[in-house]
C-alpha cells in the first residue's frame, strides 16, 4: 500500500497594501509583570506560622508583618518596628497562594508602607 503525502502549502505572502496593527493594549491597560516592579508587598496581621512554629522578630514582634516578595523570588518580613529579614522558608509560590490581587502601585517603599499602614 502506498500513501501519497500532500504537497507542502505554498508560502502565503500578504499584499503590499496590508497595514499591520500592533496588538498591544494602551500602556494604562497593560498587565504589570514581575519584571516591571521591584517587588510586591502585603500585610500579614495574624501570627505567621512557618514549619509549625510562630515566626517572631528578634525584637519580640510576632504579628502585623509586611511581607515582601522581591523580583529575585526572595521573601522578606518586616515588623512594625522596621526590622526586615529574609525568610528562606517562604517563596514566591507561598506569597502567591496567600496574597490578594494587587490594588495599588507605589513609586517608593515609603509610599507602599504608608498605604499598608506601617
Amino acid at each position: 500500500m502506498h500513501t501519497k503525502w500532500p504537497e507542502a502549502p505554498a508560502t502565503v505572502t500578504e499584499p503590499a497594501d496590508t497595514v499591520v496593527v500592533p496588538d498591544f493594549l494602551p500602556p494604562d491597560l497593560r498587565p504589570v509583570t514581575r519584571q516591571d516592579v521591584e517587588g510586591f508587598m502585603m500585610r500579614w496581621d495574624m501570627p505567621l506560622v512557618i514549619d509549625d512554629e510562630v515566626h517572631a522578630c528578634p525584637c519580640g514582634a510576632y504579628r502585623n508583618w509586611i511581607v515582601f516578595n522581591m523580583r529575585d523570588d526572595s521573601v522578606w518580613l518586616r515588623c512594625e518596628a522596621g526590622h526586615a529579614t529574609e525568610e528562606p522558608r517562604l517563596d514566591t509560590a507561598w506569597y502567591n497562594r496567600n496574597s490578594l490581587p494587587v490594588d495599588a502601585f507605589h513609586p517608593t517603599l515609603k509610599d507602599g508602607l504608608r498605604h499598608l499602614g506601617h
Side-chain angles (χ1 to χ4, degrees), residues 5-66:
W5 294 96
E7 300 218 7
T11 303
V12 178
T13 58
E14 293 185 26
D17 61 344
T18 301
V19 176
V20 178
V21 177
D23 60 349
F24 292 108
L25 293 168
D28 56 335
L29 294 178
R30 292 181 190 159
V32 175
T33 65
R34 280 191 137 353
Q35 290 72 32
D36 297 332
V37 296
E38 291 296 319
F40 296 95
M41 62 174 78
M42 69 173 172
R43 284 187 65 96
W44 189 273
D45 293 328
M46 306 171 288
L48 182 59
V49 179
I50 305 171
D51 294 337
D52 296 325
E53 293 180 9
V54 175
H55 180 78
C57 180
C59 72
Y62 65 95
R63 59 183 329 145
N64 299 327
W65 300 100
I66 298 294

Side-chain angles (χ1 to χ4, degrees), residues 53-91:
E53 293 180 9
V54 175
H55 180 78
C57 180
C59 72
Y62 65 95
R63 59 183 329 145
N64 299 327
W65 300 100
I66 298 294
V67 181
F68 298 94
N69 184 216
M70 305 309 290
R71 189 185 311 178
D72 66 359
D73 294 328
S74 63
V75 174
W76 289 71
L77 304 174
R78 184 181 192 273
C79 73
E80 286 184 308
H83 304 120
T85 57
E86 183 176 5
E87 180 46 69
R89 297 174 290 176
L90 301 179
D91 58 10

